[in-house]
Amino acid sequence: MPYTRFALAVLAAAPLFAQTTRPISHADYDAWRSITPPKLSPDGRWVVYGIFPQVGDGQVIVKELATGKEIRENAGQRPAPPEPDPLSEGPPPVRGITAEFSSDSRFAVFTVFPSKSDLDKARREKKRPADMPKNAALVVDLAAARATRIDNVKSFQVPDNATNYLAYLKESNELVIRSFADGRERAYKDAAEYLLTNDGETLVWLDKKGAYAAPNATGEPAALASGEAKYARLAADEKHANFAFLKGKQLYHWDRKAPAAAMLADNAASAPLAFSGDGARLFFATAPDRVEPKRADPAEDAVYDLWHYRDDYIQPMQKVRARQERERAYRAVVHLADKKVVQLADAALPEVQPAREGISTVGMDDRAYRRVREFDERYADVYSVDTLTGRRQLLARKVGGQQSVSPNGKFVLTYEDRHWISYDLATGERRNLTAIAGRAFHKEDDDHPGAPPTAGPPFWTKDGAFVLLPDRYDIWQAAPDGSLLRNLTDGLGRREKTVFRVIRMSGESSDRGGDRTIDPAQPVILKAVNETSFDAGFWRDSLDPEKKPEKLFSGPYDLGNPVKAKNSDVVLMTAARFDRYPDLQVTNSSFSSPRAITSEGEQTKAFAWGTAEVISYRNGDGKLLKAGLYKPANFDPAKKYPMIVYIYEKLAQNVNAFVDPAPSHRINASYYTSNGYVVLMPDIVYQVGYPGESALRCVIPATQTVVDMGFVDPERVGIQGHSWGGYQIAYMVTQTDRFKAAAPGALVANMISAYDGIRWGPGLPRQFQYERTQSRIGGTLWQYPMRFIENSPIFMADRVRTPILMLHNDADDAVPWYQGIEFFLALRRLDKEAYFFNYNGEPHGLRKRPNQKDYTVRMQEFFDHYLKGAPKPAWMERGRPYIDKEPAPAASAPSDDVRP
């Protein structure tokens, strides 16, 4: 490096060394700000996004990208995530702002929330939910930089292809259509559902007395159907030429050219309606007649549950699914040209998908495999269903993987026995698309006893001519008729140990909700992550076999999915590291010269911040594995640091992820590295039948590898983990004294009782977890009784010499909390040092922020005492008597019943 460049680099870096920083404290969490997902205007000139602290009021920013000009509006306090659906396996969605631009990019519309002060005041006054402060909408004239606030707004709609109107629904159920040009409004009372057409010319809505259509803000509404009834399920086809809705049990269709709607069926159930892509067919549902049982009177009737060994689902599952079963409906279709109604689904074929295109669709029958779900995978028989006749043709039995229907409706793709299979829906012909590849299309490194999952999901071309299928590293282009299979990425992924995956940039078309289709005429955008370094990048490829994969952007980053403007080559992206905040950057579809447009990363500069790197180690079986190593701020290799090991399964892939300082039931790597700890997150691999020992044979060597580097005090190493991580810790402390302190959460202590326990969220027996999935025993209690015993910490609790801090909540919906009780009582009986926190009413993980904050502090105090020599806090010295928690009950008459 020339001297001048070196000198400039030193001078540029000097202010960073001179800047005063401090460790992150628990008091810093509330004010920590995060950026909500952004929305680009169609012309790519403007972006709107929110910046919210964890507690307190945020802002919505509308920024002109070329000039940096901003319009900032107060946005109130972001709501907490909704309660999770017990039948859903994914996390609850993160709540952000809802934002839209007019199609000419002249106006932005977005939601804002009530202020924290208003919400706090309403809570103090114990207001009912209906009387709590409500959301508002802001309409921003971008040229004039003028915002108009509309209070008490439930929702709004902006037409995709028009610039004239905005429609919004108020909390009072008043529906308003507003002119963007001059702000003129017209209101309609008591609306329940509404839809503003893509061309902005017609507003359609439902109320208690009818269905209506108004041509524009000044036109008089026409009644499409009338009469007192429950009107619901308003739907439209993709061109907004056809509409449908329910009037009670009557199904109505309105051709937009017609003066009124026509009734098509009188036996419709209250289920979503869907048009085919061409608008020629309307899918609805019918419900079987059902007699409601007589409600039991406890004074007169026996009240009980009957668990029958031949039930499809056990009673807890039936309870969770009761509402779903009461609303059970079966798919039907009406062909709009001749008004012919065809019943597609029934009790013998309960699930039939709406068909976007084509005459045939797909149905699934899982009845024969419902009991198997308790200890095995989900299975179903797959059928082709003719929508003209209702005729069914069996395609495949006991399919356990996912299914995907081609966009043109000609094929269904299934994952069976580690391969992708296509079925011609017209003929039923079966083709194995991937057998000739000589590659595995399942997750090659999967070490569960069950069938391995797919390497990744398929992506169809929009015309259905091809489907893109991932193996462990590369992407393959397959024709569903079996006429083509080629390695799209030319084997580059496998050669360089880089995982390629197709991504679809959100916002790149007008499709709402996104889909797994790509335009075959456009480049294929790939996200790539190197399996060794975890560097990530974006690549460009093509369905043209003459073109080769092209690297666009790469580095030691955690890359978020990019967002593209609808009508211009403007792209937003984030490229984070553990020590680099994910500020928004603007670039193009070549990802060239990205530049930051937000500066929220500035808030990190006030704090001492750690760094992260990938290390390698060999487990007890000699296998080379990875780990994420997080070093303290201002790291000095000559010092001896305390270290906390955090475990689950494989974690090294997260090494570049930025970690917001926040309270949780897990340790926060940003907080702990800021406060002088080394944090280690090792990968763990498993041998079926020996999950506890497998964890031990990975975690101990990984820990020793770091200790051998010389900067960790071997006498000051702790360990923390939750759920599966909590189980592994409970097992390991019965086998080793390596850890000075351990904090397992939501653990399983007794695999025998847990095997026949229940995941109370979905009501599902836990047997599947031991036989086929995470717990990895590989068989039943009667096949392998010793495996269940030898992997259960409860039977070796007498060996524990490590102080234990436990968390297990009494409303845990995944691991029965009596597992925590069993382990605690065993330790207590053996006079082992153990502390057990139960946050009343909380589920598997802490959701209420006061509880998250409290436990975060308890963990820090626990580890600081054992790993830093800090004094014991009062709760470790004295506990917390129940009488100090609960107020005295109201006075009552004295009792003569005196008991010792």
Side-chain angles (χ1 to χ4, degrees):
M1 177 185 292
Y3 173 80
T4 51
R5 287 182 59 194
F6 177 77
L8 288 172
V10 170
L11 289 172
L16 296 179
F17 291 105
Q19 186 175 8
T20 301
T21 61
R22 63 173 177 83
I24 299 168
S25 77
H26 300 306
D28 295 317
Y29 299 147
D30 287 357
W32 188 266
R33 300 182 302 276
S34 299
I35 301 172
T36 64
K39 179 85 174 185
L40 277 166
S41 62
D43 64 2
R45 181 181 170 190
W46 299 88
V47 60
V48 59
Y49 56 92
I51 296 178
F52 288 88
Q54 292 177 22
V55 176
D57 295 345
Q59 289 187 316
V60 174
I61 295 92
V62 186
K63 183 188 289 283
E64 188 174 37
L65 294 174
T67 66
K69 181 176 74 174
E70 291 183 347
I71 302 168
R72 287 181 173 254
E73 296 291 338
N74 292 332
Q77 178 164 283
R78 182 167 53 170
E83 290 296 320
D85 181 350
L87 295 177
S88 173
E89 296 187 351
V94 176
R95 286 181 173 171
I97 60 168
T98 300
E100 295 289 347
F101 285 92
S102 59
S103 64
D104 59 2
S105 302
R106 292 179 55 199
F107 293 87
V109 187
F110 49 83
T111 52
V112 292
F113 310 113
S115 69
K116 181 178 185 299
S117 60
D118 286 347
L119 289 168
D120 290 345
K121 181 174 181 290
R123 292 189 188 104
R124 287 194 302 271
E125 295 172 355
K126 301 186 186 317
K127 288 193 174 182
R128 300 175 304 166
D131 298 327
M132 292 292 285
K134 301 297 190 295
N135 293 351
L138 290 182
V139 182
V140 180
D141 182 328
L142 298 174
R146 182 177 61 249
T148 302
R149 181 185 177 96
I150 307 171
D151 289 324
N152 301 319
V153 172
K154 276 186 184 179
S155 64
F156 64 83
Q157 293 180 12
V158 175
D160 281 344
N161 305 315
T163 64
N164 44 8
Y165 297 112
L166 153 75
Y168 63 89
L169 184 64
K170 304 199 75 171
E171 291 287 344
S172 63
N173 291 328
E174 182 180 65
L175 176 63
V176 181
I177 187 163
R178 176 188 178 91
S179 167
F180 274 125
D182 56 20
R184 286 181 302 128
E185 294 187 340
R186 179 159 184 176
Y188 306 95
K189 293 183 178 180
D190 300 322
E193 299 179 33
Y194 69 104
L195 197 153
L196 180 59
T197 56
N198 284 335
D199 60 12
E201 293 297 329
T202 305
L203 179 66
V204 184
W205 74 95
L206 310 175
D207 66 20
K208 296 178 181 179
K209 296 182 179 179
Y212 309 90
N216 51 49
T218 58
E220 289 301 314
L224 306 179
S226 60
E228 195 85 21
K230 181 180 180 181
Y231 291 82
R233 303 294 188 180
L234 180 62
D237 66 7
E238 293 178 5
K239 295 180 179 179
H240 286 189
N242 293 280
F243 294 79
F245 57 88
L246 299 180
K247 176 185 177 183
K249 292 186 175 182
Q250 297 175 337
L251 172 67
Y252 275 79
H253 164 247
W254 178 50
D255 182 326
R256 196 169 164 190
K257 298 175 183 178
M263 189 182 76
L264 300 179
D266 60 3
N267 61 340
S270 181
L273 308 177
F275 285 91
S276 59
D278 58 7
R281 294 174 300 283
L282 172 60
F283 293 88
F284 68 107
T286 62
D289 292 331
R290 188 175 181 281
V291 178
E292 284 293 329
K294 173 180 172 290
R295 185 174 295 277
D297 180 353
E300 300 289 339
D301 303 312
V303 180
Y304 63 92
D305 297 329
L306 173 61
W307 296 47
H308 194 288
Y309 76 106
R310 288 183 177 170
D311 285 344
D312 283 352
Y313 303 113
I314 65 168
Q315 287 287 316
M317 288 186 72
Q318 291 183 44
K319 182 178 180 180
V320 172
R321 300 169 64 94
R323 179 178 176 183
Q324 187 181 72
E325 290 302 318
R326 288 190 186 98
E327 297 173 358
R328 169 71 67 184
Y330 299 110
R331 187 82 62 187
V333 65
V334 55
H335 297 267
L336 298 179
D338 58 6
K339 308 300 188 289
K340 179 182 179 182
V341 175
V342 181
Q343 187 69 45
L344 304 176
D346 54 28
L349 189 67
E351 301 293 336
V352 172
Q353 299 180 16
R356 176 179 168 82
E357 302 292 347
I359 296 303
S360 295
T361 187
V362 175
M364 279 80 70
D365 179 12
D366 69 343
R367 293 173 302 157
Y369 315 109
R370 289 174 181 172
R371 289 178 62 193
V372 174
R373 176 67 185 93
E374 298 176 8
F375 50 85
D376 202 343
E377 300 177 43
R378 291 188 178 96
Y379 297 107
D381 297 334
V382 181
Y383 289 80
S384 169
V385 183
D386 189 316
T387 65
L388 288 173
T389 64
R391 185 180 68 86
R392 301 165 183 173
Q393 179 180 3
L394 178 66
L395 299 178
R397 290 197 182 276
K398 202 177 182 181
V399 174
Q402 57 184 285
Q403 300 89 40
S404 178
V405 179
S406 64
N408 59 13
K410 294 182 179 180
F411 296 91
V412 60
L413 197 68
T414 66
Y415 175 71
E416 304 174 39
D417 298 325
R418 307 185 180 195
H419 284 287
W420 287 103
I421 310 297
S422 78
Y423 292 92
D424 188 313
L425 290 176
T427 66
E429 185 175 355
R430 179 184 190 274
R431 301 178 179 92
N432 188 322
L433 300 184
T434 54
I436 63 172
R439 290 286 186 269
F441 286 81
H442 63 277
K443 189 177 178 183
E444 289 181 40
D445 58 349
D446 184 74
D447 53 17
H448 297 90
T454 65
F459 266 81
W460 288 94
T461 56
K462 288 184 180 296
D463 57 7
F466 299 104
V467 62
L468 303 185
L469 304 171
D471 68 16
R472 178 173 179 173
Y473 298 106
D474 289 296
I475 305 296
W476 296 71
Q477 177 187 353
D481 64 2
S483 61
L484 173 72
L485 179 70
R486 78 176 185 94
N487 194 313
L488 185 76
T489 47
D490 300 322
L492 181 67
R494 190 164 293 268
R495 288 195 302 274
E496 299 192 359
K497 296 294 183 285
T498 294
V499 177
F500 285 103
R501 291 295 178 261
V502 179
I503 61 170
R504 188 175 183 276
M505 292 191 283
S506 61
E508 64 183 347
S509 77
S510 61
D511 294 345
R512 294 189 183 274
D515 57 24
R516 293 192 180 278
T517 62
I518 58 170
D519 185 342
Q522 296 297 317
V524 179
I525 302 300
L526 305 171
K527 187 175 180 178
V529 179
N530 184 268
E531 214 176 52
T532 302
S533 66
F534 299 109
D535 285 4
F538 294 120
W539 291 60
R540 181 164 50 207
D541 208 336
S542 172
L543 299 187
D544 181 349
E546 299 299 318
K547 294 186 177 180
K548 303 297 182 184
E550 175 189 5
K551 183 190 295 187
L552 305 175
F553 178 91
S554 184
Y557 305 118
D558 177 39
L559 298 177
N561 267 13
V563 177
K564 184 182 178 300
K566 179 180 177 182
N567 300 324
S568 67
D569 190 23
V570 177
V571 173
L572 291 178
M573 61 174 284
T574 60
R577 289 196 309 261
F578 179 69
D579 57 353
R580 172 174 163 161
Y581 186 93
D583 272 307
L584 296 177
Q585 299 181 63
V586 64
T587 179
N588 53 32
S589 57
S590 294
F591 298 95
S592 59
S593 303
R595 63 178 177 86
I597 63 165
T598 63
S599 57
E600 289 308 299
E602 291 291 317
Q603 64 189 316
T604 65
K605 293 183 178 179
F607 303 107
W609 212 272
T611 59
E613 62 190 71
V614 182
I615 66 167
S616 298
Y617 76 96
R618 291 192 182 275
N619 71 354
D621 299 314
K623 185 170 184 177
L624 188 64
L625 297 174
K626 301 291 182 185
L629 179 63
Y630 302 78
K631 292 179 179 177
N634 306 312
F635 175 72
D636 181 352
K639 286 186 177 180
K640 293 286 189 181
Y641 292 94
M643 181 168 76
I644 298 178
V645 182
Y646 177 80
I647 63 168
Y648 193 73
E649 290 190 359
K650 288 189 175 179
L651 296 172
Q653 72 275 11
N654 301 321
V655 69
N656 287 323
F658 183 85
V659 180
D660 287 312
S664 173
H665 51 269
R666 304 179 180 93
I667 63 165
N668 183 279
S670 294
Y671 172 86
Y672 278 90
T673 54
S674 184
N675 283 272
Y677 283 91
V678 173
V679 175
L680 175 66
M681 300 187 188
D683 283 351
I684 302 173
V685 295
Y686 301 90
Q687 180 183 354
V688 172
Y690 306 96
E693 183 181 344
S694 297
L696 190 72
R697 293 174 69 80
C698 292
V699 175
I700 296 302
T703 301
Q704 190 61 45
T705 297
V706 179
V707 168
D708 290 344
M709 294 177 180
F711 50 80
V712 167
D713 184 344
E715 300 302 316
R716 294 191 293 154
V717 178
I719 189 166
Q720 198 266 324
H722 193 79
S723 191
W724 180 239
Y727 156 71
Q728 293 171 101
I729 292 171
Y731 175 87
M732 284 191 286
V733 295
T734 70
Q735 307 296 310
T736 180
D737 298 333
R738 157 58 82 185
F739 304 108
K740 186 75 171 179
L747 60 88
V748 164
N750 184 346
M751 285 196 172
I752 294 175
S753 58
Y755 172 77
D756 283 323
I758 291 172
R759 296 178 71 97
W760 290 106
L764 180 65
R766 293 174 50 84
Q767 294 167 344
F768 75 96
Q769 182 164 331
Y770 298 86
E771 297 183 36
R772 306 284 287 184
T773 63
Q774 189 174 59
S775 296
R776 295 175 170 87
I777 294 298
T780 70
L781 176 60
W782 307 279
Q783 289 174 292
Y784 302 114
M786 293 309 298
R787 289 186 184 180
F788 280 83
I789 293 172
E790 291 168 355
N791 283 285
S792 295
I794 197 75
F795 298 109
M796 299 167 284
D798 58 318
R799 303 179 187 176
V800 174
R801 288 190 287 271
T802 305
I804 303 293
L805 171 65
M806 291 173 53
L807 168 69
H808 213 142
N809 304 317
D810 53 21
D812 195 315
D813 49 358
V815 179
W817 87 296
Y818 57 72
Q819 287 292 315
I821 294 172
E822 284 192 45
F823 198 51
F824 175 77
L825 290 181
L827 296 174
R828 172 183 165 89
R829 172 65 181 82
L830 294 162
D831 202 26
K832 308 290 185 179
E833 184 177 357
Y835 310 91
F836 180 11
F837 278 87
N838 161 32
Y839 289 87
N840 306 142
E842 285 274 43
H844 189 56
L846 295 174
R847 290 179 57 83
K848 296 176 182 176
R849 191 167 180 88
N851 294 339
Q852 293 172 337
K853 285 183 170 182
D854 186 81
Y855 192 65
T856 296
V857 173
R858 310 291 187 182
M859 271 200 299
Q860 172 251 313
E861 292 174 334
F862 176 75
F863 283 124
D864 276 4
H865 171 66
Y866 284 107
L867 306 185
K868 285 187 170 183
K872 275 189 177 183
W875 61 268
M876 289 180 68
E877 290 282 11
R878 299 187 298 273
R880 187 197 189 196
Y882 187 83
I883 198 170
D884 291 349
K885 171 189 172 187
E886 293 292 324
S892 58
S895 171
D896 293 332
D897 185 10
V898 179
R899 300 183 184 181

